[in-house]
Amino acid sequence: MAEIEVRPALLRAIGNDCETDVAPVIGRAESAFDDASSLSSLGLGELLSAGPLTNCYTGWRGTFREGTTAMHSLSDKIRGTAAVVDAADQNIADLYRGDIPEMPPIAVNIGGI
Amino acid sequence: MALTYYTLRDLGLSSTSFTYGFGFDLAELHISTTRYYFEQVKERIDAGHAWSGDGRGAADKVLHLNSLALATSETQMSAGKTAVQALGLALTRARDEAKTALEPIEKMAEGTPFRILVGADGRVGPVVEGPKGPDFNLEYSDLSNYLYKEAEVAQLKLESILTFARSADLAAATLFNRIYHLRPVFSATASSDAIEYNEALHDIAKQNLSLAEFTYQLWNGISSEDLLEVQPQGWSWWGAIKGAFIPESAEELAYETGWGLIKAGLGTVYPFFQKAISVHGKYEMIDGWFKGGHHGPSISDPDIPDLLSLNPVAHHSDLQGKVEEFYGGYGSLTVAQLAKLQSLGQLEDDGHDYVADAEELWSWLNGWIDANPPVFPESSPDPLTPEELDLLRDWKLAFRLARELDAAIH
């Protein structure tokens, strides 16, 4: 078993920074589109690009929400690494393992082209 | 839904209204800030002062995965912002040009019983309000003739403007589609597949940003004269000049003003998607945009409309050979685009010097332009002959290609 060298205090500090600095800011990106003016009220509802633009808002909100969740989880794992300082390294590695949701296929509806 | 004259007329926005990118700018700012903080976290762990051991490998993957996701997100937000700005630029330009195009006929009709009606598709027609009688015909028959001629001119201009705006809308829709569909994976779970996925998306995001920037420059660079291409000289020439100067279809103008861009997008992206093949339920990415050379997708693909017929055709056979050389095959990048990409170091080296090709073609076209001066309708007292119109059209085509090459290599 490999020897593990862990500095718990530093890891906790890093985990806390990830929790307090990173996660909330990406959360703000999620709400960036909330203030975007309605295309219809701007007279742009007839545009071909209005639909894809609205999709962008919806889709990216979801992506940034996933980002926020991932950053919170990562913060917990970094702090958790410190918590298992006395455990075997395999336990630490297990923290970062698990199922990842299926990624969507990379395919684009190139509508209109 | 199609953009109409009324969309433009009712556009209550200044070009500055689009500069904020409808939320993309704010998202870009927040993601940029997130990246800054995240990289600090990543660097502290990467440095190894806090922790070393076998578990680091999995943790490093998680950090790398999210770092890529943030970089991709920032680039996509930047692309979205630029796409919105490009669309705004084109729409506000089109709106202002439409207003200008209608001013002469509206001024002519001012204070008369005529009213100028404009259709959603840009059709322009003077109508008379109230009953007409014999006296009316005596008094207004000349004005009526002038108005109808002026209406033809205004209509030609409006149709061109609408096609320009629709081209910009189409380009923006394509960019937004790509930005929407290509979103990275954030996760606290280590996954080599997810890293590969995010790496592929990061490359696409950079292409999106380049395309959005190019779109902006394209809409910004087209002069009013290029956009309208009509000189109100009288009734006799308009039918002929319509055939010579005004694109016969929306697709043709779209091609001339921006379809090359879209084609470039397809040529680079579509083969990539074809190569995103399913392997055991995952998706294997084929890296390297240009590894397959610059040849695009098969024309037989039913999802891709036939754009080949949109390539301009020259009447002079020597010029036609060079036009074909400029455009290459279906789905290909033009010589100008290849030279530009190569000079920017964004083209995989296949041992071919596209910049030299572009310079040679540019030089040949300039020689042809000098050797074949056309007669312009505004300097000719008579309507141009069919031969003169053919030469004029070829000359303008050669001039445009030379200009695109010039922009790419100088």
Side-chain angles (χ1 to χ4, degrees):
Chain A
M1 189 177 296
E3 187 181 343
I4 305 165
E5 186 183 329
V6 179
R7 293 172 65 186
L10 189 50
L11 266 176
R12 285 196 187 92
I14 294 171
N16 287 341
D17 285 351
C18 191
E19 179 76 38
T20 56
D21 293 340
V22 181
V25 187
I26 196 171
R28 264 178 246 152
E30 183 191 335
S31 59
F33 296 125
D34 291 347
D35 296 330
S37 304
S38 154
L39 294 177
S40 296
S41 70
L42 292 171
L44 300 174
E46 291 176 18
L47 294 183
L48 186 68
S49 52
L53 183 55
T54 307
N55 287 342
C56 275
Y57 292 169
T58 311
W60 278 93
R61 270 199 197 103
T63 297
F64 291 144
R65 196 171 307 130
E66 287 165 13
T68 308
T69 305
M71 293 305 171
H72 281 305
S73 180
L74 179 60
S75 305
D76 287 343
K77 289 184 177 185
I78 293 171
R79 286 179 298 215
T81 305
V84 292
V85 62
D86 294 327
D89 57 348
Q90 189 60 46
N91 296 97
I92 295 176
D94 284 347
L95 273 177
Y96 296 90
R97 294 206 182 102
D99 293 329
I100 192 167
E102 189 72 26
M103 284 161 282
I106 296 186
V108 166
N109 171 8
I110 51 176
I113 302 303
Chain B
M1 232 180 289
L3 182 153
T4 68
Y5 163 72
Y6 296 105
T7 316
L8 291 179
R9 190 197 64 178
D10 299 337
L11 194 63
L13 295 166
S14 66
S15 55
T16 53
S17 303
F18 286 91
T19 56
Y20 298 110
F22 292 167
F24 281 115
D25 60 318
L26 202 54
E28 181 194 25
L29 176 69
H30 290 319
I31 292 298
S32 175
T33 308
T34 307
R35 269 191 81 193
Y36 171 76
Y37 287 127
F38 186 77
E39 290 304 317
Q40 287 191 330
V41 167
K42 186 170 177 293
E43 279 170 21
R44 288 158 78 187
I45 290 181
D46 284 346
H49 298 315
W51 156 42
S52 64
D54 289 344
R56 275 286 307 280
D60 286 345
K61 276 186 180 175
V62 173
L63 291 164
H64 184 46
L65 185 162
N66 289 292
S67 180
L68 279 169
L70 284 168
T72 302
S73 299
E74 185 179 2
T75 308
Q76 291 281 53
M77 294 304 101
S78 187
K81 181 182 73 177
T82 309
V84 167
Q85 289 168 350
L87 177 64
L89 173 77
L91 291 182
T92 48
R93 278 198 67 188
R95 177 196 59 187
D96 296 346
E97 295 286 0
K99 192 176 171 192
T100 304
L102 287 168
E103 272 170 3
I105 190 169
E106 282 175 341
K107 196 170 178 184
M108 197 183 277
E110 215 171 72
T112 76
F114 289 93
R115 192 157 61 95
I116 307 304
L117 292 182
V118 182
D121 57 359
R123 275 180 296 176
V124 179
V127 296
V128 180
E129 289 187 316
K132 289 196 293 185
D135 289 347
F136 176 90
N137 287 334
L138 277 175
E139 193 174 349
Y140 289 111
S141 63
D142 281 350
L143 176 62
S144 174
N145 285 338
Y146 285 127
L147 278 174
Y148 275 99
K149 288 175 186 174
E150 196 64 40
E152 297 282 3
V153 174
Q155 183 170 317
L156 281 173
K157 290 180 175 179
L158 276 189
E159 285 170 351
S160 290
I161 291 164
L162 273 176
T163 310
F164 168 75
R166 285 171 180 162
S167 303
D169 187 24
L170 181 64
T174 305
L175 283 165
F176 293 142
N177 261 333
R178 293 175 57 158
I179 292 165
Y180 162 61
H181 283 287
L182 302 170
R183 303 190 304 277
V185 172
F186 285 96
S187 178
T189 301
S191 163
S192 298
D193 286 346
I195 288 173
E196 210 172 351
Y197 185 86
N198 281 355
E199 278 173 347
L201 257 55
H202 193 204
D203 284 345
I204 301 174
K206 285 188 275 190
Q207 291 287 333
N208 277 357
L209 179 56
S210 296
L211 285 173
E213 285 169 346
F214 185 45
T215 310
Y216 186 91
Q217 289 162 8
L218 201 62
W219 302 148
N220 196 36
I222 295 175
S223 69
S224 297
E225 290 73 25
D226 285 344
L227 208 161
L228 300 175
E229 298 272 56
V230 176
Q231 295 291 327
Q233 296 211 1
W235 173 257
S236 62
W237 52 261
W238 92 261
I241 210 168
K242 184 180 178 189
F245 281 10
I246 305 298
E248 290 168 2
S249 65
E251 288 75 17
E252 191 177 342
L253 183 66
Y255 183 83
E256 291 185 355
T257 57
W259 211 289
L261 160 74
I262 304 303
K263 256 181 64 175
L266 279 180
T268 55
V269 174
Y270 191 71
F272 174 83
F273 294 127
Q274 284 186 316
K275 290 172 183 172
I277 52 174
S278 178
V279 177
H280 304 304
K282 302 288 183 186
Y283 284 85
E284 182 179 289
M285 304 307 154
I286 308 298
D287 61 347
W289 288 103
F290 299 99
K291 274 189 175 164
H294 64 272
H295 298 293
S298 161
I299 197 167
S300 62
D301 194 302
D303 293 332
I304 306 296
D306 179 5
L307 300 181
L308 187 62
S309 59
L310 298 177
N311 277 354
V313 176
H315 297 87
H316 292 74
S317 58
D318 56 342
L319 180 61
Q320 176 57 22
K322 297 297 177 184
V323 170
E324 287 169 8
E325 197 177 308
F326 178 88
Y327 284 100
Y330 172 80
S332 300
L333 300 176
T334 66
V335 172
Q337 289 165 331
L338 285 164
K340 183 72 178 173
L341 287 168
Q342 193 167 53
S343 64
L344 293 172
Q346 293 181 9
L347 194 66
E348 178 155 304
D349 186 12
D350 61 0
H352 196 93
D353 190 345
Y354 294 105
V355 175
D357 284 355
E359 281 172 347
E360 191 182 323
L361 190 52
W362 176 74
S363 176
W364 188 94
L365 287 168
N366 278 321
W368 193 92
I369 289 164
D370 289 343
N372 295 279
V375 178
F376 289 94
E378 50 268 43
S379 59
S380 171
D382 302 315
L384 300 187
T385 65
E387 292 75 21
E388 286 172 328
L389 282 168
D390 284 350
L391 176 61
L392 179 60
R393 199 170 189 179
D394 280 2
W395 188 88
K396 288 170 76 69
L397 174 61
F399 185 81
R400 184 166 59 75
L401 300 190
R403 195 171 55 181
E404 283 185 37
L405 288 163
D406 186 41
I409 58 181
H410 294 132

